[in-house]
Amino acid sequence: MDVFEALYTTRAMRRVKPDPIPAEVQERILDAAVRAPSAGNTQGWRFLLVDDPEVKSQLGPLYRDALGRLFEGHYKPMRERAEATGDTGTLNVLRSAQHLADNFESYPLLMFAFTRNDPGGGSIYPSVWSAQLAARAFGVGSALTSVLGLFHGAETMRILGVPEGKGWQVACMVTFGYPTGRWGVAPRRPAHEVAYRNRWGEPVGFEIPEPLWTP
């Protein structure tokens, strides 16, 4: 797969089939993750794959509670504005997030990423993104979420058997599965509307009204 196709079409894919992810694909996902840049080459990361229905059944209620808290907290003003104005784009995103929560146990593969001594995520998130790009190359969709770590980090680590007192923290979780829909370039604000040059607010010097890569 062309690198730009992977970059432009790897977006959150939360509606997936329950079909298992083959072991050889999982191997490529993890091997790509550990090839990512790491600050000082310390590689202060750990990855934990979950496909056991029993483990997922323990995590699912926690995830739904965490998302509910997010929807009634930080996301509440955005949700209420979208409902009042009929902002279908925002409402679709929220429905997609809710779909993940409602169907948590049916995702065939979850990957938890753990980190220590990486408070800004400068090492762990590039590695997770590499995993998602590798999955895309095999037609596997993914979606990154951090709400379990935010609201139920200690319980999540207990369920997953993470050693206590070693400094490990849940950075995020990624769902993997074969999408039920089609791949495509996600709509985004053009780069020139969110980028500057030399000083904040100064024009970047070019305009990109349409994606520079198309299928």
Side-chain angles (χ1 to χ4, degrees), residues 93-104:
V93 170
L94 295 176
R95 279 193 288 266
S96 179
Q98 187 63 54
H99 176 86
L100 193 160
D102 293 341
N103 296 274
F104 185 95

Side-chain angles (χ1 to χ4, degrees), residues 92-214:
N92 285 340
V93 170
L94 295 176
R95 279 193 288 266
S96 179
Q98 187 63 54
H99 176 86
L100 193 160
D102 293 341
N103 296 274
F104 185 95
E105 290 85 351
S106 70
Y107 285 87
L109 184 67
L110 311 175
M111 182 185 79
F112 286 85
F114 299 88
T115 184
R116 61 182 175 186
N117 302 321
D118 183 22
S123 293
I124 194 65
Y125 287 111
S127 68
V128 170
W129 182 232
S130 290
Q132 293 184 261
L133 289 172
R136 171 67 185 97
F138 289 93
V140 176
S142 62
L144 185 156
T145 173
S146 59
V147 297
L148 266 177
L150 287 173
F151 294 99
H152 292 294
E155 294 162 276
T156 297
M157 293 202 295
R158 178 184 56 77
I159 292 169
L160 298 176
V162 180
E164 295 182 9
K166 301 295 184 180
W168 293 110
Q169 295 180 313
V170 183
C172 63
M173 181 197 79
V174 180
T175 61
F176 293 100
Y178 292 100
T180 58
R182 295 182 295 178
W183 299 99
V185 179
R188 297 286 188 265
R189 292 180 63 185
H192 62 270
E193 293 185 6
V194 297
Y196 314 120
R197 189 183 297 274
N198 296 323
R199 290 182 64 83
W200 187 276
E202 293 298 317
V204 72
F206 48 75
E207 294 190 1
I208 312 173
E210 300 294 335
L212 295 178
W213 181 92
T214 55

